[in-house]
Amino acid sequence: MKIRLFEEADRPFLRTLFLAARRHNWTWLEGDDWQLEDFDAVILGETVLVAEIDGHRAGFAGVLDNDNFLHSLYIDPDYQGQGVGSALLEAVQQRFTSTGALKCLMQNEQALAFYAHHGWQREATGEGEQGKYVLMHFPLTARASGK
């Protein structure tokens, strides 16, 4: 598996991946209004890392480097459970210069368990346009301890 920076040639495929992953994983939300172009708005101003397996784009992560904030992590449904998310998350965590943060929808129990498994800690809850979320932090000490 290779983790690399986003290239413009990735955009069409990652748009499709983003839409497919949301529809596959966010089953409790009505996704009729979702469009391929939603990807463009989500990654605006972010550093995007792309995971490739044998030349196939298997997932991506969007991070706001200045804020140490993981904004998005999406895996192609065909590649879920194969370590792609873990590899992307590790690459993101290596970019952090202080405590990392993310928001995860409360109903996304699989993702919450994934982040907890990787050393992320629940800090607070809130509500956004897609529902209730959990604010999670990743302390640099977790990175140093191998979590």
Side-chain angles (χ1 to χ4, degrees):
M1 182 176 335
K2 176 182 175 183
I3 306 293
R4 61 170 176 78
L5 289 173
F6 171 86
E7 299 168 359
E8 192 56 40
D10 296 321
R11 187 176 303 274
F13 187 84
L14 293 185
R15 281 175 166 174
T16 303
L17 186 154
F18 178 66
L19 185 60
R22 291 192 337 170
R23 287 190 172 146
H24 181 262
N25 294 311
W26 295 3
T27 56
W28 65 92
L29 290 175
E30 184 63 48
D32 293 341
D33 294 346
W34 296 343
Q35 300 175 23
L36 292 172
E37 294 79 13
D38 294 343
F39 169 80
D40 303 332
V42 166
I43 67 160
L44 194 61
E46 298 180 3
T47 298
V48 177
L49 302 176
V50 177
E52 268 188 8
I53 298 176
D54 298 326
H56 178 83
R57 297 167 190 97
F60 75 91
V63 62
L64 294 163
D65 285 322
N66 290 341
D67 298 329
N68 294 299
F69 188 82
L70 173 59
H71 182 242
S72 52
L73 179 66
Y74 290 88
I75 309 304
D76 183 328
D78 291 339
Y79 285 87
Q80 290 181 1
Q82 297 181 34
V84 177
S86 295
L88 278 167
L89 186 60
E90 177 62 28
V92 167
Q93 290 167 178
Q94 291 299 318
R95 299 180 70 84
F96 292 156
T97 57
S98 66
T99 297
L102 65 79
K103 292 178 184 176
C104 184
L105 294 174
M106 242 183 232
Q107 288 192 275
N108 197 348
E109 294 173 7
Q110 184 178 359
L112 288 170
F114 169 79
Y115 292 122
H117 173 77
H118 288 280
W120 289 75
Q121 302 165 357
R122 293 176 183 230
E123 296 294 331
T125 59
E127 189 150 358
E129 67 181 57
Q130 295 167 329
K132 294 182 180 182
Y133 63 82
V134 177
L135 174 66
M136 302 182 85
H137 283 167
F138 183 80
L140 283 184
T141 54
R143 184 171 76 193
S145 68
K147 274 281 187 180

